[in-house]
Amino acid sequence: AIDLRAEESVLRVLRDLEVWERLDGPPGREEIVAALERVTVYTRPVGDGRVAVLDLLRARTRRFGIVFILGLEEGVLPRRVAETPFLTDDARRDLENVPGSRRRLMRADQVARDRYLFYTACTRAWRRLTLVREAATEEGRPLEASPFYEEVRSRFDADDVARWTRKRPLSALSWQLHEAPTERERLRALAAVAAESETTARSLAAASGWSRRLERALGAFSRPTELVNPRTRERFREQARFSVTELEAFGECSSIWFVDRVVDPRPIDAQVDPRLRGQVAHQALYRFYAGLPKRFGADQVDSGRLEEAIEFLRECLTDALAGQVRHELDELDRLELEGTLGRDLEHFVRQDVALGLPLVPRKFEVGFGSDRAAPELQRGLELGGFTVSGKIDRIDVDPFSARGIVQDYKSGTAHAASRIEAEGRLQVPLYILALRDLVGIEPLGGLYRSLSGEREARGLLRKDFREDLPGLADADYLDEDGFWASVDQAQDRARNAVERIRAGDVRHDPRVPGCPRWCERFSMCRIERA
């Protein structure tokens, strides 16, 4: 046995030397002898049937024939590092650089450290390395892969990766029914049996008193999604006014629309969700742009007074937080919300100055189709048999003519002209119609303004007026036929959504096979997940 282990060690060194020869030429006699002298041969067996379970730090000094690296999910490796709202990394760096300071405030780069540990773990195997990640939790919640995992996959040919990758469904992880240690695991094992033979599963369930649970599990994804309650259907048939965001949500996924807009579940614990962040950001920007004329005597931010404007923006954010955050948030959550939103809004205002559009912000939070709107806007946007309501975040106008654009603030990604049509976006196209038919301003286009991430300004723009809207993405400028065709298509999509809502047709969006991975409503949805 010792001779065999010595032979394996020598052969391993010779394979390494072959690689060396291809890279740097053949090694000399002395180099070969030196390499063999450094070989370690373990005379004591580790133990048959035993697996060494180590963390990445302890695995650095060991060598194994076969290595499995687990936990390659986003947020696990590398671990997430949240920037504290009390002392940012920039502030720590500035304090460390103060002359005479002996403070060590900068934290080690966690991502770089995890990358080093991952690299060393990958080099511990001499025969086979297996990278393991979870695609979903036991409850079915999808998990994203670690960037380290994706980087390793990108180094190999896609066909080889597909051939080497092995996937196991959650059902493959269930116990045998007679070996399951808990009732929950026994029920999961019963569901696995039902996938092969419903008759056998029903017999086992009847013997154990699980018949009701099994029937509910078997029928979980076969229930019809059409609304059948007559009072609910009558309510939607009589509804004459729909909001733009409601119709857009229905066009994206009618199941999400039903859960969010009709069932309307609310969290028990107070939390900073995207909706709350969006409300605070919208209110802060409304106060900022509406207050510019009084504070600075101008409708736009002067680049020479940009820093003063940023200070005013932070005042507006503080006021917006005081007015919007009515439910209880602990001090840390409030400070984090203020810190992250302040950074995002500051970048937004700086980008606004950099764009330098000649149009000036004049109207803010322009609602239409509601009793709280201005009298001339209360009737809403008529689309034939129903009206549409909404709220335009901002309207920029030409100071010398009745022309302008609409701007819609987005906490996520801004949508380009091609995506507006491909993904069925309604807000900007219908806001353009409202600008023309209700506000009485000739529309030059509409923009989605992203408040985070890439902070892009994308949307629909009329190519004939490009000189009035310079510096935006080339792909978003459309000729007259293409521009108004996109607006007409948005009207058609809105009419189609209303027809389906009134018919109680709550099906999954047919453009997407299975639920989108980002959806958090799958536990209440009747649609089978992909």
Side-chain angles (χ1 to χ4, degrees):
I2 296 176
D3 292 342
L4 286 175
R5 283 193 290 274
E7 182 190 21
E8 288 179 355
S9 300
V10 171
L11 291 176
R12 184 173 68 252
V13 172
L14 294 178
R15 285 195 296 270
D16 293 342
L17 290 175
E18 288 178 359
V19 175
W20 184 0
E21 181 176 355
R22 289 198 298 270
L23 295 176
D24 298 328
R29 181 190 302 268
E30 294 78 9
E31 292 167 330
I32 295 176
V33 173
L36 292 174
E37 287 178 343
R38 289 196 297 270
V39 174
T40 300
V41 179
Y42 294 98
T43 58
R44 294 182 180 180
V46 176
D48 294 338
R50 296 185 181 182
V51 176
V53 180
L54 306 172
D55 58 26
L56 297 182
L57 189 62
R58 293 176 57 199
R60 293 180 305 161
T61 58
R62 304 279 294 274
R63 291 278 291 175
F64 304 94
I66 299 174
V67 171
F68 291 83
I69 301 180
L70 313 180
L72 292 175
E73 297 88 38
E74 184 179 8
V76 179
L77 191 73
R79 288 163 284 185
R80 288 194 180 96
V81 180
E83 184 179 273
T84 171
F86 299 106
L87 198 60
T88 65
D89 288 344
D90 291 338
R92 292 173 185 270
R93 191 176 295 106
D94 293 340
L95 289 174
E96 277 197 0
N97 293 333
V98 172
S101 173
R102 297 183 178 179
R103 299 184 181 93
R104 295 191 61 186
L105 301 176
M106 285 301 297
R107 297 168 295 189
D109 186 347
Q110 186 64 54
V111 175
R113 176 177 173 81
D114 286 344
R115 183 184 296 276
Y116 164 72
L117 292 175
F118 174 68
Y119 161 75
T120 55
C122 289
T123 61
R124 297 304 89 195
W126 71 72
R127 286 178 52 197
R128 183 185 302 161
L129 171 67
T130 303
L131 306 181
V132 183
R133 62 166 289 243
E134 281 187 295
T137 64
E138 291 186 0
E139 288 74 29
R141 181 172 63 86
L143 299 174
E144 294 295 332
S146 164
F148 296 166
Y149 179 87
E150 297 294 354
E151 286 178 17
V152 173
R153 286 169 56 95
S154 68
R155 296 300 188 270
F156 299 93
D157 184 80
D159 293 336
D160 290 338
V161 171
R163 187 171 66 254
W164 297 334
T165 302
R166 299 291 182 268
K167 298 181 180 180
R168 292 195 301 173
L170 287 175
S171 58
L173 305 180
S174 60
W175 295 74
Q176 293 294 320
L177 185 59
H178 64 281
E179 297 178 347
T182 64
E183 183 177 14
R184 180 183 180 186
E185 294 297 340
R186 285 190 286 273
L187 289 170
R188 291 186 62 181
L190 179 67
V193 172
E196 301 294 334
S197 172
E198 291 188 13
T199 303
T200 303
R202 285 192 169 95
S203 300
L204 292 171
S208 305
W210 297 331
S211 296
R212 180 172 174 272
R213 294 185 181 185
L214 178 63
E215 294 303 325
R216 288 183 61 189
L218 292 174
F221 297 123
S222 61
R223 294 175 292 180
T225 60
E226 182 181 5
L227 300 179
V228 296
N229 184 280
R231 295 180 61 183
T232 302
R233 298 186 63 165
E234 184 66 24
R235 167 193 163 191
F236 289 129
R237 277 196 296 268
E238 295 177 353
Q239 186 174 341
R241 179 173 294 169
F242 299 84
S243 72
V244 176
T245 54
E246 178 181 12
L247 296 180
E248 187 172 272
F250 187 92
E252 187 169 8
C253 176
S254 57
S255 295
I256 294 178
W257 165 82
F258 180 73
V259 173
D260 279 350
R261 302 282 173 167
V262 181
V263 180
D264 193 18
R266 301 296 178 89
I268 297 175
D269 299 324
Q271 57 182 346
V272 182
D273 57 8
R275 183 175 298 179
L276 175 61
R277 289 177 60 88
Q279 290 174 350
V280 175
H282 281 60
Q283 187 62 25
L285 289 174
Y286 165 69
R287 292 171 182 265
F288 174 73
Y289 284 104
L292 279 179
K294 183 178 180 180
R295 185 70 171 259
F296 297 96
D299 292 318
Q300 292 177 300
V301 178
D302 184 0
S303 58
R305 306 183 68 182
L306 180 57
E307 298 307 321
E308 294 180 59
I310 296 300
E311 289 299 321
F312 177 51
L313 174 66
R314 294 194 176 275
E315 294 176 18
C316 296
L317 176 58
T318 302
D319 294 340
L321 278 168
Q324 289 287 336
V325 183
R326 297 186 179 89
H327 60 274
E328 292 295 329
L329 287 178
D330 59 43
E331 188 66 11
L332 182 60
D333 285 340
R334 192 191 68 80
L335 287 173
E336 182 179 10
L337 178 61
E338 184 174 10
T340 54
L341 269 182
R343 183 171 60 247
D344 289 341
L345 296 182
E346 177 182 341
H347 283 291
F348 178 84
V349 172
R350 292 184 185 276
Q351 184 201 47
D352 224 16
V353 174
L355 283 175
L357 297 180
L359 306 183
V360 297
R362 283 285 172 80
K363 298 178 181 293
F364 312 97
E365 304 291 328
V366 180
F368 60 91
S370 68
D371 297 337
R372 291 178 292 180
E376 66 275 12
L377 303 178
Q378 289 183 2
R379 69 180 187 275
L381 182 63
E382 177 65 42
L383 291 184
F386 67 97
T387 58
V388 173
S389 63
K391 182 181 287 187
I392 303 173
D393 293 332
R394 173 175 146 192
I395 299 176
D396 293 7
V397 300
D398 186 341
F400 305 107
S401 65
R403 300 185 303 176
I405 62 171
V406 297
Q407 296 205 28
D408 185 64
Y409 303 141
K410 303 295 290 185
S411 58
T413 305
H415 307 297
S418 58
R419 291 185 58 188
I420 289 175
E421 180 178 350
E423 298 178 7
R425 302 293 171 182
L426 300 180
Q427 283 181 295
V428 158
L430 295 186
Y431 288 167
I432 288 173
L433 275 182
L435 182 67
R436 185 191 67 181
D437 298 344
L438 299 179
V439 184
I441 294 177
E442 177 66 18
L444 304 182
L447 290 175
Y448 287 107
R449 297 292 304 277
S450 177
L451 300 178
S452 60
E454 297 294 332
R455 301 182 177 88
E456 294 180 306
R458 303 298 300 270
L460 288 173
L461 303 169
R462 295 169 70 178
K463 191 174 184 178
D464 290 351
F465 299 93
R466 185 167 186 164
E467 58 187 20
D468 297 306
L469 300 170
L472 297 169
D474 291 339
D476 292 339
Y477 294 99
L478 305 180
D479 58 32
E480 288 297 293
D481 291 340
F483 179 86
W484 292 111
S486 295
V487 175
D488 292 340
Q489 288 173 1
Q491 296 182 72
D492 293 339
R493 287 192 294 267
R495 294 188 186 101
N496 179 263
V498 170
E499 290 176 2
R500 288 180 56 192
I501 290 174
R502 287 175 170 174
D505 183 12
V506 183
R507 296 175 301 176
H508 188 269
D509 178 15
R511 291 184 292 107
V512 182
C515 287
R517 301 180 68 180
W518 47 262
C519 179
E520 297 179 351
R521 300 304 191 193
F522 67 90
S523 59
M524 292 175 275
C525 179
R526 295 179 173 183
I527 304 301
E528 185 174 8
R529 294 186 64 79

